[in-house]
Amino acid sequence: MTQNSASKLLNGDTLHRTKQDKKAGGNGFVKNHCLFQQQQKRYRRPAEKSHHASRTLLYKKTFVESFEETPLLVAVLTYMGYGILTIFGYLRDFLRDWKLEKCHLAREREEQKDFVPLYQDFENFYTRNLYMRIRDNWNRPIRSVPGAKMDLVERVTPDYNWTFEHTGKVLKDVINMGSYNYLGFAENTGTCADTASECTEKYGVGVCSTRQELGNIDKHEELEKLAARFLGVESSMVFGMGFATNSMNIPALMEKGCLILSDELNHASLVLGARLSGATIRVFKHNNMQSLEKLLRDAMVHGQPRTHRPWKKILILVEGIYSMEGSIVRLPEIIALKKKYKAYLYLDEAHSIGALGPRGRGVVDYFGLDPCDVDIMMGTFTKSFGAAGGYIGGKKELVDYLRLHSHSAVYATSMSPPITQQIITSMKCIMGEDGTTLGQERLCQLSENTTYFRRRLHEMGFIIYGNNDSPVVPLMLYMPAKIGAFGREMLKRNIGTVVVGFPATPIIESRARFCVSAAHTREMLDTALNAISEVGDLLQLKYSRKNRRGSEGTDCFSYLESHLD
């Protein structure tokens, strides 16, 4: 998940130091590193120096990402917490086996015990004994648009989160800090809603056919031409589902005898698509160019296993913004490696399209790169555009090939007309083709909100991950008991948040994930930040050991030290 100091320096990161120029190691111990010693005592070989300088020149501005190490005390307490939960879980399973406690999960009947088990008992251990304790933090039904504020349906559980009942009450004006509505286009008033309503009256809500049969309408072709112009590519193709855009198109491009190099933190849709393709998959460390280059070099030297024949194709799979880390892909370096080793690049911009770049055109626009350097540009309309579906952009030959060979294009029902119109209207707004400056204003507002929100959390003393320009802001919770407690306490203060734990994250890296939107006002952000700070003091979540300004209360370390004294 985190990189060591050496790789961060070589990759061009801003250096984050602790006291006395020491860095916390992966296990929490503070250790010296040669790269942190006085500069005059360390000598580089000329080749190493020029190599680092060439990488630095790839970036037009400082690339700042922070992944502060887990403190040793927090790591120990987190493991202890999971250990205690595991012990009690086995005790409860023992009681369930003796019918002293009821188990609500699906299990084999007694007469099927000799069969190969349909439900893996140990795999459900986490669900039975840990997830169910905090299940009330997920699947909360809302009854409004997912704007800056939303209405939540209140529910209670009579059996410790196994089932829920609605009380009939509604929690009004809950500040929404979890939706991917980056530019605020998910709204029921305004130009987007009006044009989508008119489109519904003309075309209906569904097409009821595939694009290759009777499901191809003029709105689809208008959107594809507009998306190609927006991305700066020759051609594009749209799909009705974002997940299927990855999982169904990668198998159409790759096959047995091909090699896929995938970032270890890629989304499940990319992982599934790579597996379905039948290609060989090798994983490189997250955003680590040394790891990627080593795999590329080995692939060029050794070729395929056993036969050592050259690979048919080598495809690099990366994302624009990694939704669990808040980090931005090192696209300039990846493009340089791709050109050096004659590989192909597949870029998933699900979270970055519309949310990054001065024109809102994603990570390519953010770095000021040429879109032609990315072979396959993929993205979704489910976030910044407030709609649904996905797209593939690139050369015309690529898109024409996918129209004939992609399962998502041949067999799936085409995109709903009002959804298509929603995307067209919001995209034109971002491009400024609607005759207003609303799109540019939202892009600027999102950037300002992101910078402000991240800076305030840093000053309060929380450990947050990711790039300074990423609207995805993970706040580290670590301990299992604090996952549910944080979500509940925030909801008590009328703030809707998303908490994430295992298996979506490593088992000791549970977190709350905030998504900043252009629809958030400064007053809303201040209200949310005050609530976060209050809950952080209550649950002792201010783990950061960096110098912080303007924070109130005490962190967990000073709290423990005062009680030990």
Side-chain angles (χ1 to χ4, degrees), residues 523-561:
E523 182 182 7
M524 293 178 191
L525 292 180
D526 285 336
T527 302
L529 286 164
N530 291 335
I532 294 169
S533 180
E534 184 180 341
V535 175
D537 291 332
L538 176 66
L539 302 179
Q540 304 301 325
L541 295 174
K542 297 180 178 180
Y543 302 120
S544 179
R545 294 189 173 184
K546 298 178 184 176
N547 294 328
R548 49 184 191 269
R549 299 176 290 106
S551 59
E552 297 179 358
T554 57
D555 62 10
C556 68
F557 300 103
S558 58
Y559 175 85
L560 289 172
E561 288 171 0

Side-chain angles (χ1 to χ4, degrees), residues 46 96 159 185 189 210 231 263 311 327 374 514 518 522 532 556:
R96 293 182 184 117
D159 50 8
F185 283 116
T189 58
T210 66
L231 298 170
D263 190 290
W311 295 100
S327 59
V374 180
F514 301 103
R522 184 60 60 90
I532 294 169
C556 68

Side-chain angles (χ1 to χ4, degrees), residues 352-366:
S352 55
I353 192 69
L356 282 182
R359 299 176 299 169
R361 304 188 183 188
V363 69
V364 177
D365 185 32
Y366 175 77

